[in-house]
Each structure stands twice: as structure tokens, then as C-alpha cells.
Amino acid sequence: MAGASASFFPAQHISPIRRNILSRGLSSVRTRLPTSKPMACAPDAAPDLLQAAKLTVDNYVRSGMVVGLGSGHASGLAIQYLGKRMREGALKDIVGIPMSVSSASEAAKSGIPLDHYEDNLQIDFAFDDADIIEEGTLNAVIGRQKLDGGESIIQKKSIVKTASKLAFIVSDKQYTRDLDGSVPVLVNCGNWMETAEEIDDLFLGDAEVWRRPTSGHAGPLGGNFPLVTKEGHHILDVIFTSPILDLGQVAESLNHIDGVVDHGVIFGIPCTVIIALKDGIQVVDNLAKSSVVDKL
């Protein structure tokens, strides 16, 4: 994969299967965003997260596009702003492909025409939240939070992989080299315990494996009401107790385990990350063939 590039917009025991990732070169561009009033539909939004959402729409969405609409707080702000730009006439003939019930609801309220995702659908651009982004590789984890009704990690990954262009909108705390936390893994229900034991052996000493419950407290077995996704799978939360040194290697290892259907790691695909900092917006991508540093 090509080295990552970056732009900055100021505003108002370790498992032997995992190895340290070589850091990628980053390039930076600095400029100033114009001051604007917060949107009335999101008065409690953090200003820089709102600016990140607006920048995503302004920079990447064009009239006539089919757009994948992500779920999460930042994506919700982007959906609201996209609807606003359509009402103003700045954007026309947009069709949204929602990744969850919540994003569909937000889009409907914002006046964005919607269509259902199909495998052969051409998606011009997609944006989404991410739980965490690995600095340098721009590999991402999604699905750590409780899934909205109808939300599917499998479908969401299909949409972002299908999109000709992809952007994640995150806060600075979610863009880091020091990865920790969990990775959700979808597994077949019938032999889920055998799969869980194999995952536990894979990351022995580095992670705990808990089956996600529908409600109540989590635990290794998922309690009395383990979650079953709309596709009929359990979710195992692989909770890392040691740093995640190579997210891509974790994903590759999970792919080779019998019973694993999919997981919440998105890796190895071209993307842009819009990062809301305390003092502005930073844009990082892995699209450039070379790293250049510019400051404006």
C-alpha cells in the first residue's frame, strides 16, 4: 500500500503472530478553515467534529453520486449537512445507501433519497465513523459499540469496500499508534465455543474472548441472552489486554480460523481519514504514491 499522506486544517506478554508495523511516511498541508455557525440541527456537536463532517461532504460529495451513509455521531452530522446542501441546491441527484437504521432515519429526516444496498451496486463515495484508526496504515476497527437495529458489520464492510472512495470521520483520540481495546468477530452459532477457544489460543496471554450479549452485563458466555445478528451469527469480542501491534496481522490471523465469518477490522484498502482535533481538522490518506510536506 502506498504511504499515507496528511493535511491539517486549523479552525476556531506479546503474541508471536503479531509484529510491529513499519511506520508510513506522512505529508501535511496546513490551511485555515472559514468560521461558520453551527448547524441548528446539531447544537451540541463538538465544533471540530462538525467541521470534519462538513469538510467530508464539501470535499468529496458531488451531484449525481451514490453515497454510502455511515452510522455514528460524526456520520450523523455529515448526513445532516449533506441534506442541508441538497436543500440549498448546492448538491443534486444524490442517492444515499444507509449502513444502519439510524443512518436511514437521519437521511430521511434530512431529505436525502435512499436506496437499498445490493452486491452489484456502484457506490461513488462512502463515509463512516470508526472506533479506532491505526496511524500509518489507516487500518480501522468498527463494530465495538452496540449495533443499531438492522445494523450489520458484514453489510457495512461490503459498502465501504465497494465504494470508489472512502472516508472515515474520527476524533483525534481515535487516530493512534497505541492500539488497544477490542475487535468484534462474527462467528457461526453452532460451533461458536470451539471457535472462541481457537481464538483464545491464538492470542493466548494477549486477549480475552467474550460472547456479546443482547442486553445486560457482558461475560465470556454472553449471559442468558447472547446476541444473534440479523444474519444469524454470534459476536465474539476479542478484548486485548496487551497492545495491538499490527491490526492487519490480527485480521489475517482471524481470517484463517474455522467458524469465523467476518470481523470488525477494515484493512488494506485505499481511504481518507478526516480527524477532528482540538484546534482544527487533519486529513490523512493512503492514496499518495510519495510523501510530500507542504504548509500553507
Side-chain angles (χ1 to χ4, degrees):
M1 182 169 22
S5 64
S7 305
F8 181 78
F9 298 83
Q12 311 196 343
H13 165 77
I14 300 299
S15 172
I17 68 165
R18 294 184 281 140
R19 302 183 297 277
N20 280 305
I21 191 75
L22 294 175
S23 61
R24 309 293 180 113
L26 297 177
S27 67
S28 299
V29 178
R30 297 176 183 265
T31 188
R32 183 169 295 278
L33 286 174
T35 302
S36 60
K37 295 180 180 179
M39 292 187 297
C41 56
D44 58 343
D48 289 321
L49 191 61
L50 178 56
Q51 290 285 5
K54 294 170 71 173
L55 184 145
T56 301
V57 173
D58 288 338
N59 281 19
Y60 303 105
V61 179
R62 298 292 180 264
S63 293
M65 279 188 169
V66 176
V67 180
L69 308 175
S71 56
H73 183 50
S75 293
L77 295 174
I79 292 171
Q80 292 170 21
Y81 182 65
L82 175 56
K84 178 175 181 290
R85 296 297 284 162
M86 292 178 67
R87 293 192 300 273
E88 294 170 345
L91 292 170
K92 300 178 181 180
D93 302 321
I94 299 294
V95 176
I97 308 299
M99 299 186 193
S100 68
V101 171
S102 63
S103 57
S105 176
E106 195 65 66
K109 289 188 293 184
S110 299
I112 302 172
L114 299 176
D115 200 354
H116 296 290
Y117 172 72
E118 298 177 359
D119 289 340
N120 60 349
L121 183 65
Q122 176 60 49
I123 299 174
D124 300 296
F125 174 67
F127 59 80
D128 194 15
D129 289 39
D131 295 306
I132 199 164
I133 300 284
E134 185 175 49
E135 184 178 341
T137 66
L138 306 192
N139 295 331
V141 176
I142 63 170
R144 284 183 176 179
Q145 309 301 319
K146 181 179 180 180
L147 300 181
D148 291 335
E151 186 174 8
S152 164
I153 292 176
I154 294 175
Q155 181 172 305
K156 179 177 283 197
K157 288 183 69 173
S158 296
I159 292 174
V160 301
K161 288 181 176 181
T162 300
S164 298
K165 295 182 179 180
L166 168 66
F168 290 109
I169 312 170
V170 298
S171 70
D172 56 346
K173 293 181 180 179
Q174 295 167 303
Y175 179 68
T176 179
R177 287 186 188 277
D178 302 319
L179 301 185
D180 56 12
S182 63
V183 171
V185 182
L186 289 90
V187 299
N188 292 319
C189 292
N191 61 339
W192 77 268
M193 190 169 291
E194 290 84 353
T195 305
E197 290 174 351
E198 189 169 349
I199 295 173
D200 188 56
D201 289 342
L202 178 66
F203 301 114
L204 187 63
D206 290 336
E208 299 177 357
V209 181
W210 289 18
R211 184 168 59 159
R212 187 178 297 187
T214 300
S215 60
H217 296 291
L221 299 181
N224 294 325
F225 304 99
L227 177 66
V228 179
T229 69
K230 71 176 187 177
E231 295 95 353
H233 305 124
H234 287 318
I235 296 180
L236 302 180
D237 288 309
V238 182
I239 307 167
F240 285 87
T241 56
S242 296
I244 304 173
L245 301 181
D246 186 337
L247 192 55
Q249 183 63 54
V250 169
E252 291 281 11
S253 300
L254 290 169
N255 287 341
H256 290 90
I257 294 180
D258 289 338
V260 170
V261 178
D262 209 335
H263 48 71
V265 181
I266 300 173
F267 72 107
I269 63 174
C271 66
T272 300
V273 181
I274 317 297
I275 308 162
L277 308 173
K278 293 180 180 179
D279 58 349
I281 308 300
Q282 184 177 11
V283 179
V284 183
D285 67 53
N286 55 12
L287 311 177
K289 295 183 179 179
S290 61
S291 296
V292 180
V293 178
D294 293 318
K295 294 183 180 180
L296 302 179

